[in-house]
C-alpha cells in the first residue's frame, strides 16, 4: 500500500537541488544530514533535553550506520530516537555541573 504522502514527497524531491546532489552516494547524503542534525557543542546546554532535536540526530545517525552495514549500531541509535520521542529517556545531568 502506498502511503498518501509518497507522491507529494516524490514530487518535492524532484528539484534542481536534488539534481545537484545526484553525484552524492546515499551514504554521503545520510552523513551530510547527520552532520546537519547533530547538536553543536555551543548549543548542547540549550538542546540537550529538546526531544525533537535529539530524536532527529539519533535517527540520522541510525541511517548512517545502517547504510554502512552496521545494523547493531543502527538499531541502538534507532532505539535512542524512539526513547526521545516516547519520553522513556531523558538527558543526564551535565557532568561539568555535577548532580544538583
Amino acid at each position: 500500500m502506498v502511503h498518501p504522502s509518497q507522491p507529494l514527497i516524490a514530487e518535492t524531491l524532484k528539484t534542481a537541488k536534488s539534481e545537484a546532489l545526484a553525484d552524492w552516494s546515499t551514504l554521503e547524503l545520510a552523513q551530510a544530514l547527520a552532520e546537519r542534525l547533530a547538536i553543536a557543542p555551543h548549543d548542547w546546554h540549550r538542546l540537550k533535553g529538546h526531544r525533537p532535536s535529539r530524536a532527529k540526530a539519533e535517527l540520522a545517525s541510525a541511517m548512517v550506520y545502517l547504510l554502512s552495514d552496521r545494523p547493531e549500531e543502527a538499531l541502538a541509535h534507532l532505539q535512542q530516537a524512539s526513547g526521545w520521542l516516547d519520553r522513556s529517556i531523558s538527558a543526564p545531568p551535565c557532568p561539568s555541573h555535577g548532580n544538583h
Side-chain angles (χ1 to χ4, degrees), residues 28-93:
E28 289 170 325
L29 290 169
Q31 289 169 329
L33 180 62
E35 239 178 75
R36 168 82 46 105
L37 294 175
I39 297 174
H42 65 275
D43 287 330
W44 181 251
H45 280 95
R46 183 172 59 87
L47 296 175
K48 72 177 182 145
H50 188 254
R51 294 183 179 284
S53 295
R54 296 294 300 266
K56 290 173 191 177
E58 292 292 344
L59 190 55
S61 293
M63 190 180 311
V64 170
Y65 281 112
L66 188 58
L67 291 169
S68 299
D69 295 322
R70 296 173 60 185
E72 296 83 15
E73 290 94 339
L75 183 58
H77 284 278
L78 185 58
Q79 290 167 337
Q80 286 288 307
S82 177
W84 281 107
L85 294 173
D86 70 12
R87 305 180 82 71
S88 64
I89 62 173
S90 295

Side-chain angles (χ1 to χ4, degrees), residues 4-52:
S5 67
Q6 284 181 340
L8 177 62
I9 292 170
E11 192 59 37
T12 303
L13 292 176
K14 292 179 184 178
T15 66
K17 288 182 182 180
S18 66
E19 290 175 17
L21 296 174
D23 293 334
W24 290 42
S25 72
T26 304
L27 177 58
E28 289 170 325
L29 290 169
Q31 289 169 329
L33 180 62
E35 239 178 75
R36 168 82 46 105
L37 294 175
I39 297 174
H42 65 275
D43 287 330
W44 181 251
H45 280 95
R46 183 172 59 87
L47 296 175
K48 72 177 182 145
H50 188 254
R51 294 183 179 284

